[in-house]
């Protein structure tokens, strides 16, 4: 059985970047200069048939580019459920020359990860501008709230940016399926779309997804700890393509765990306040014991608060995407509490999204439509290397690590036909 590993994408670099835009009022700030923890690789999770092993869900077309991959990449891509294809940008040449204009469209910023992605994108933009790679300022479209983040508004933003002459757009979509026609039209016009940790819409040709797969280690590993009993699944936003893929992995992994039953599926909207409310309401009206929780990312604190507010011991909660407060809470209970997390921080996300966009514009040729880069996996064996003691569960900080900890330049080379970062020449 092949072990899943983040070694291909983890970095030993101590590089940091700091500065950037200020955080919203009331939040703590975090700089890559302040943190230089090195990733320690994936936890003890493997592809297999036992409860605690991850189950391959794809890709659908295993006889395509998947069959040409080395075994290590095949293990990584086995969690992608749709068709994996050669990227259109592997052969389609972009005629725009540097300096380029870069756009960023996202849903309303509701957590520190999203704030740090924006901070990182601005830092990377400033560095690229100094090298003559980009011009002007990062063109952004960010509504003030999640409620105002609609597919219609993002479609309008994509079209507006194209009219403004933007050469590539990084998108965290409200609904990648609904927005796919607009994103495909952008690609046909020579403007690549880089999806920020969201799988592409099925059947798309011009979208390039940079994807952490943080559900793989977190889901299977946590199920292995739970072993038996009733669990809750807390999903993100209904209809979101990323949510569908994350949920699909959970359902498949449960096949390895016949003694675990799903008591209910709830929606937390990737928001800790909403999550606390819906989980607390469920616990209040359902007295049966809950032995564990799987969630679609960034909702750990809300789940913990819901259990604690009801005076119920917190069961193992899979930690897809982690905040520093989550890790500090876990560290305090490390002798009695176990779970598994798959995590990056927003600074690392912004670094990968932006440099992927530059490489595509520079015709480096991404090999696949999905650039699947495993997140750093945390469990009780390496938690102390990442967790900061004494932080409140509600801390705005993220887990530490250099901006290159998810995927540095050497890691990115594995996903492009031509290695090396973009240059102005």
């Amino acid at each position: 059985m092949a072990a899943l590993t983040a070694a291909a994408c983890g970095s030993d670099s101590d590089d940091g970047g700091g500065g950037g835009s200020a955080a919203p009022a009331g939040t703590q700030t975090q700089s890559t200069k302040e943190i230089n923890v090195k990733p320690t690789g994936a936890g003890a999770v493997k592809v297999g048939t036992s409860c605690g092993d991850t189950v391959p869900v794809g890709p659908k077309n295993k006889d395509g580019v998947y069959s040409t991959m080395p075994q290590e990449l095949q293990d990584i891509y086995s969690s992608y459920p749709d068709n994996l294809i050669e990227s259109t940008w592997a052969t389609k040449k972009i005629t725009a020359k540097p300096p380029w204009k870069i756009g960023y469209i996202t849903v309303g910023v509701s957590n520190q990860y999203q704030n740090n992605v924006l901070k990182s994108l601005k830092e990377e933009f400033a560095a690229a501008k100094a090298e003559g790679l980009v011009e002007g300022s990062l063109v952004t479209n960010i509504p003030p709230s999640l409620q105002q983040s609609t597919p219609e508004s993002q479609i309008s933003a994509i079209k507006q940016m194209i009219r403004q002459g933007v050469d590539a757009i990084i998108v965290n979509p409200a609904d990648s399926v609904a927005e796919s026609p607009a994103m495909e039209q952008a690609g046909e016009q020579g403007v690549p779309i880089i999806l920020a940790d969201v799988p592409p819409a099925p059947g798309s040709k011009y979208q390039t997804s940079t994807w952490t797969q943080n559900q793989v280690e977190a889901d299977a590993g946590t199920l292995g700890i739970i072993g038996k009993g009733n669990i809750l699944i807390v999903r993100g936003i209904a209809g979101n393509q990323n949510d569908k893929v994350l949920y699909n992995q959970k359902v498949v992994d449960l096949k390895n765990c016949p003694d675990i039953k799903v008591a209910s599926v709830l929606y937390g909207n990737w928001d800790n306040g909403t999550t606390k409310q819906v989980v607390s309401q469920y616990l209040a009206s359902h007295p049966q014991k809950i032995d564990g929780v799987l969630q679609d990312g960034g909702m750990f604190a809300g789940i913990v608060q819901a259990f604690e507010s009801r005076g119920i011991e917190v069961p193992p909660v899979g930690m897809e995407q982690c905040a520093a407060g989550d890790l500090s809470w876990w560290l305090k209970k490390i002798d009695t509490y176990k779970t598994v997390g798959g995590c990056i921080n927003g600074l690392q996300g912004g670094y990968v999204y932006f440099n992927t966009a530059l490489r595509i514009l520079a015709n480096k040729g991404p090999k696949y439509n999905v650039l699947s880069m495993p997140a750093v996996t945390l469990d009780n064996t390496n938690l102390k290397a990442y967790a900061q003691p004494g932080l409140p569960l509600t801390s705005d900080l993220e887990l530490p690590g250099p901006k290159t900890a998810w995927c540095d330049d050497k890691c990115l080379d594995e996903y492009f036909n031509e290695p090396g970062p973009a240059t102005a020449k």
Side-chain angles (χ1 to χ4, degrees), residues 63-341:
D63 57 345
V65 292
Y66 178 80
S67 65
T68 68
M69 292 178 171
Q71 185 63 49
E72 183 178 30
L73 278 183
Q74 286 189 346
D75 291 341
I76 291 170
Y77 277 90
S78 68
S79 68
Y80 181 62
D82 206 347
N83 287 325
L84 182 69
I85 62 173
E86 181 184 32
S87 171
T88 298
W89 304 110
T91 54
K92 183 179 175 66
K93 299 300 181 183
I94 293 173
T95 57
K97 303 298 181 185
W100 297 297
K101 293 182 180 180
I102 308 293
Y104 176 51
I105 299 171
T106 187
V107 297
V109 175
S110 63
N111 56 48
Q112 189 65 3
Y113 170 81
Q114 293 169 329
N115 182 66
N116 277 338
V117 168
L118 178 60
K119 170 184 168 69
S120 178
L121 289 174
K122 289 182 176 180
E123 290 176 355
E124 294 303 313
F125 189 95
K129 188 173 182 178
E131 296 178 12
L133 285 165
V134 297
E135 62 181 352
S137 300
L138 182 69
V139 182
T140 62
N141 183 277
I142 307 172
S145 69
L146 281 173
Q147 289 71 28
Q148 294 172 275
S149 305
T150 65
E152 292 77 16
S153 65
Q154 290 194 331
I155 290 170
S156 178
I158 291 170
K159 294 179 178 179
Q160 175 62 25
M161 286 189 182
I162 293 174
R163 288 194 294 268
Q164 291 176 267
V166 165
D167 297 299
I169 308 175
I170 299 165
V171 182
N172 177 17
D175 185 337
S176 60
V177 174
E179 296 168 41
S180 186
M183 293 191 285
E184 291 295 283
Q185 185 177 38
E188 291 170 358
Q189 295 175 265
V191 179
I193 299 293
I194 295 84
L195 295 173
D197 201 16
V198 176
S204 63
K205 294 172 54 180
Y206 293 98
Q207 300 162 39
T208 304
S209 168
T210 47
W211 189 34
T212 59
Q213 288 193 305
N214 57 15
Q215 86 283 14
V216 176
E217 293 89 347
D219 286 347
T222 304
L223 287 173
I225 292 171
I226 297 166
K228 62 180 180 179
N230 297 310
I231 67 169
L232 297 177
I233 295 179
V234 182
R235 300 184 64 169
I237 297 174
N240 183 281
Q241 182 65 14
N242 196 32
D243 176 74
K244 292 177 182 177
V245 171
L246 298 177
Y247 177 71
N248 181 65
Q249 185 73 59
K250 293 170 176 57
V251 171
V252 175
D253 285 345
L254 276 165
K255 294 179 179 179
N256 278 349
C257 305
D259 294 328
I260 296 178
K261 308 299 180 185
V262 179
S264 186
V265 178
L266 310 172
Y267 281 92
N269 293 340
W270 286 311
D271 176 78
N272 277 310
T274 302
T275 298
K276 178 183 177 180
Q277 180 181 11
V278 298
V279 174
S280 182
Q281 288 174 345
Y282 178 86
L283 295 175
S285 57
H286 296 80
Q288 78 268 32
K289 182 184 177 183
I290 296 297
D291 300 284
V293 184
L294 300 185
Q295 52 102 9
D296 278 1
M299 297 177 285
F300 181 87
I303 294 167
V304 169
Q305 289 174 322
F307 276 87
E308 290 183 336
S309 69
R310 306 299 307 176
I312 303 172
E313 182 179 356
V314 181
V317 179
M319 195 178 286
E320 287 183 23
Q321 200 57 329
C322 334
D326 302 342
L327 300 182
S328 190
W329 182 92
W330 181 7
L331 179 66
K332 187 177 180 180
K333 303 175 182 294
I334 192 170
D335 292 333
T336 58
Y337 186 83
K338 291 184 178 180
T339 190
V340 177

Side-chain angles (χ1 to χ4, degrees), residues 37 331 334-335 378-389:
V37 173
L331 179 66
I334 192 170
D335 292 333
L378 305 184
D379 57 23
N380 282 58
T381 67
N382 65 356
L383 174 64
K384 291 181 180 179
Y386 291 87
Q388 179 179 341

Side-chain angles (χ1 to χ4, degrees), residues 6-15 36-41 376 386 402-411:
C9 294
S11 167
D12 285 336
S13 170
D14 287 331
D15 292 346
N36 60 0
V37 173
K38 297 179 181 180
T40 53
V376 175
Y386 291 87
K403 67 178 183 178
T404 53
W406 176 26
C407 192
D408 63 6
D409 275 334
K410 183 178 180 182
C411 163

